[in-house]
Amino acid sequence: MNKIEFGKNTVREAVRSGEAIAVYVLTKHRNDPIVLEANESKIPVEFVTEEELRRISKSNLSQGFAAKVKPIREYSLNEIIDYAKDKENPLILILDGIEDPHNLGAILRSSDAFGVDGIVLKKRGEVQLNATVAKVSTGAIHYVKTTTVSNLSASITTLKKNGYWVVASDGSGTMSYDEVDYRGPIALVVGSEGFGISNLVLRNSDFIVKIPMLGHVNSLNASVATGILLAGIRQLQK
């Protein structure tokens, strides 16, 4: 089933990635570069009123742009592993219970920025890919490969069989994240905002690390923590 996405940056990337099927734009934006790009790609553009755009996007935050897009492609874990197998330092992100769509959108954005090869999501107990996630990701949702699995522990076992080291970021960690050697295939696990990583996933991880903090608050927003970790890992792989 085709989905609706909204927001200027999100629609721009939907057009550029070839995922947009139709674009809806407020008439006052008829000369915007997004319209020109859509026309060049032969993607239908419909100029609409604000009321029509609200109805289409089901949001007041469209910034004057919405698009009907192809269903987000779901990959299997094996497809993601195969895609990354020839890379020098494959990096897969495993999310354990991220419930806030804004956090997931921001995580997608960071994952695109730091070259994550794929994200593993849970089928239950985790927010799924929706219009809010797409908007917050500013279009990264169209570039980062994702897979949805029933059992994270089984997925971790599969990753280990394929040579991955599993690094879990959790407050219970006794070592700093920068004490790990990240050269080679790495699977990074980030837990939920409120409950962290499940005990079973922690037991199946090779390393449990934490981000050193100097302030008074002893935890970070999940998307902020993910951004710090991904940037740090890529730096340590150089």
Side-chain angles (χ1 to χ4, degrees), residues 164-186:
Y164 279 77
W165 291 97
V166 180
V167 181
S169 171
D170 191 78
S172 64
T174 57
M175 59 191 302
S176 172
Y177 80 90
D178 57 3
E179 295 178 299
V180 174
D181 183 354
Y182 292 100
R183 289 170 293 182
I186 297 293

Side-chain angles (χ1 to χ4, degrees), residues 7-82:
K8 187 171 184 177
N9 290 331
T10 306
V11 172
R12 178 190 296 114
E13 296 308 326
V15 170
R16 288 179 177 173
S17 64
E19 298 301 307
I21 297 170
V23 176
Y24 306 95
V25 182
L26 288 182
T27 303
K28 66 181 180 181
H29 298 313
R30 65 167 55 250
N31 294 319
D32 190 274
I34 293 174
V35 175
L36 300 179
E37 286 189 47
N39 288 334
E40 289 174 0
S41 300
K42 301 190 183 326
I43 298 169
V45 178
E46 182 177 341
F47 298 106
V48 296
T49 65
E50 291 188 5
E51 183 179 346
E52 289 171 325
L53 195 57
R54 278 194 297 271
R55 176 179 55 78
I56 293 168
S57 65
K58 296 182 173 58
S59 172
N60 292 317
L61 304 173
S62 68
Q63 299 173 309
F65 296 83
K68 182 186 294 184
V69 299
K70 301 172 187 175
I72 298 296
R73 180 181 171 185
E74 274 283 337
Y75 293 81
S76 70
L77 179 57
N78 285 329
E79 283 179 313
I80 290 175
I81 292 171
D82 188 60

Side-chain angles (χ1 to χ4, degrees), residues 93-115:
L93 178 62
I94 301 173
L95 301 181
D96 187 3
I98 302 297
E99 298 177 333
D100 185 340
H102 293 85
N103 269 342
L104 180 54
I107 287 170
L108 281 163
R109 191 172 180 177
S110 293
S111 296
D112 179 57
F114 296 110

Side-chain angles (χ1 to χ4, degrees), residues 80 83-93 107-119 143-145 164-165 167 177-188 225-238:
I80 290 175
Y83 163 77
K85 68 180 180 181
D86 294 327
K87 296 195 172 185
E88 184 177 2
N89 294 304
L91 178 57
I92 291 175
L93 178 62
I107 287 170
L108 281 163
R109 191 172 180 177
S110 293
S111 296
D112 179 57
F114 296 110
V116 168
D117 297 299
I119 297 180
Y143 301 108
V144 181
K145 294 176 173 59
Y164 279 77
W165 291 97
V167 181
Y177 80 90
D178 57 3
E179 295 178 299
V180 174
D181 183 354
Y182 292 100
R183 289 170 293 182
I186 297 293
L188 172 68
T226 303
I228 291 170
L229 290 164
L230 293 178
I233 288 171
R234 285 311 196 196
Q235 185 64 33
L236 291 166
Q237 287 174 333
K238 291 181 178 179

